[in-house]
Amino acid sequence: MNYFSSKKPYFIAGPCSAEDELQLSAVSEAFKKLPVDMMRAGVWKPRSKPGHFEGRGEEALKWLKEIRKTSSLPICIEVANKEQVELALQYEMDAVWIGARSTVNPFIVQEIADALKGNKVCVLIKNPINPDIELWSGALERVMNAGIENIAAIHRGFSSYDSLSKYRNKPNWAIPIELKRRYKDVPIFCDASHICGNRELIPYVAQRALDLDFDGLMIETHPDPDKALSDAQQQLTPDQLGQLLSSLIIRTPIDDCSQEEIEQIRQILDSMDAEVVDLLGKRMELVEKLGRIKGEYNMPVYQTDRWREIIDTRTQWGLKNGLDAEFISKLFELIHDKSIKTQIDLLMKIEADKK
Ligand code: PEP
Ligand code: MN
């Protein structure tokens, strides 16, 4: 069994960066009272600009090795090249994570994977900074091909140029969901801290991840967040982490009885959807027939009055059936747009055939 599937949800927490021994022991001491399964701490910090705190390096590994001995918590750190992997192994780290800035680079991921070959260490792979599922999936495969069995993916959001976004890194949930569909046996965690960039939003994103059936969370935690040397705004105190973890609604697996009922309802939904698709097919046949008539009589394909009538009547019908007007109007805009496009394509083909 995958190491990270031992508990669901699996909780990883700890400071953005390992700053000093006191900070690390304060955090690991506080975690004894919390359901934290693994401690994180950055040892080498990837900073966008030079001149900022870049981590304590090997010295921090010495502290972490000590913490590992005194507390029973497994520890994970970030690695971004071969030398860092070798040091992580030398200091007996339980897990390493590949950061978002490394996942974008197949050369680096391959270098890390090669250095990991033949080792039992667990590996967590964050999504690349840009919303490209193939890079993420490629990184997973490079690490799997190196023979690493205990792998998990971490969703930490995607960079965007949208200055109005409330997130530091946009979640784009469809991407991690697709990754989960592709790799059913790879647990996927949500790093709510790097998605949010501020501590206020974290409970909302963490709950959202659990509702989407994520397998765990990674949350940055610092004894005195405002004084943190990196990512100060997004770290929680251990107390705040405790409150967050106890307030999360964990939807436990359904029992056999409700599973049966769900299956029955799904079967009915399947047959209803089949009818909807069947009707859409028949509708489209009529749209084509109508397109030919419009062509014969030289009528314009698009008629504003008809479009308005479609949207008005359908939203009225929707309201009578308890359906949201916006939903129905969007649905019929889509259907009508497709119908118009089908008729235009048809008329162009008829004209081309005449020539
Ligand atoms: C981190 O976890 O501290 C970090 C740098 O993460 P990311 O690679 O997601 O930016
Ligand atoms: Mn951080």
Side-chain angles (χ1 to χ4, degrees), residues 181-222:
R181 199 189 60 75
R182 290 192 194 177
Y183 302 94
K184 291 191 178 50
D185 300 327
V186 175
I188 181 156
F189 301 155
C190 174
D191 171 350
S193 308
H194 287 89
I195 289 179
C196 297
N198 69 74
R199 58 183 75 94
E200 287 71 35
L201 267 179
I202 291 176
Y204 166 75
V205 169
Q207 185 62 56
R208 185 80 199 272
L210 295 190
D211 290 346
L212 291 171
D213 202 28
F214 273 59
D215 300 282
L217 299 173
M218 178 183 256
I219 308 284
E220 286 189 338
T221 313
H222 190 288

Side-chain angles (χ1 to χ4, degrees), residues 111-161:
E111 176 181 317
I112 294 172
D114 290 342
L116 287 167
K117 247 180 215 151
N119 288 288
K120 289 258 164 287
V121 68
C122 303
V123 181
L124 297 135
I125 302 159
K126 291 207 181 193
N127 63 260
I129 299 183
N130 52 326
D132 180 343
I133 190 164
E134 300 309 333
L135 275 173
W136 199 1
S137 134
L140 247 69
E141 281 173 25
R142 286 177 201 276
V143 175
M144 283 172 185
N145 291 344
I148 301 291
E149 284 170 7
N150 295 311
I151 294 180
I154 303 182
H155 174 40
R156 50 80 77 196
F158 301 92
S159 169
S160 87
Y161 200 57

Side-chain angles (χ1 to χ4, degrees), residues 213 254 258-274:
D213 202 28
I254 33 200
S258 41
Q259 184 66 43
E260 211 171 281
E261 200 182 342
I262 286 177
E263 239 3 274
Q264 277 172 6
I265 297 177
R266 281 184 176 154
Q267 276 176 20
I268 301 172
L269 287 177
D270 286 352
S271 62
M272 283 178 165
D273 287 351

Side-chain angles (χ1 to χ4, degrees), residues 15-17 40 45-46 78 97 126 168 191 193-194 220 230-232 234-235:
C16 178
S17 330
R40 61 149 283 153
K45 294 308 299 174
E78 175 173 355
W97 83 80
K126 291 207 181 193
R168 178 177 177 196
D191 171 350
S193 308
H194 287 89
E220 286 189 338
S230 56
D231 288 350
Q234 71 192 31
Q235 304 205 56

Side-chain angles (χ1 to χ4, degrees), residues 59-163:
E59 196 186 7
L61 282 171
K62 292 182 187 151
W63 306 328
L64 288 169
K65 193 175 170 190
E66 269 313 298
I67 297 268
R68 176 78 185 82
K69 263 193 230 152
T70 50
S71 79
S72 53
L73 264 189
I75 296 184
C76 69
I77 63 159
E78 175 173 355
V79 288
N81 59 35
K82 175 173 171 279
E83 291 73 29
Q84 295 178 0
V85 172
E86 283 161 4
L87 281 165
L89 295 171
Q90 185 188 321
Y91 284 91
E92 296 163 30
M93 294 294 108
D94 302 272
V96 293
W97 83 80
I98 300 180
R101 291 161 194 78
S102 302
T103 311
V104 286
N105 183 341
F107 290 126
I108 280 294
V109 175
Q110 192 57 53
E111 176 181 317
I112 294 172
D114 290 342
L116 287 167
K117 247 180 215 151
N119 288 288
K120 289 258 164 287
V121 68
C122 303
V123 181
L124 297 135
I125 302 159
K126 291 207 181 193
N127 63 260
I129 299 183
N130 52 326
D132 180 343
I133 190 164
E134 300 309 333
L135 275 173
W136 199 1
S137 134
L140 247 69
E141 281 173 25
R142 286 177 201 276
V143 175
M144 283 172 185
N145 291 344
I148 301 291
E149 284 170 7
N150 295 311
I151 294 180
I154 303 182
H155 174 40
R156 50 80 77 196
F158 301 92
S159 169
S160 87
Y161 200 57
D162 175 3
S163 58

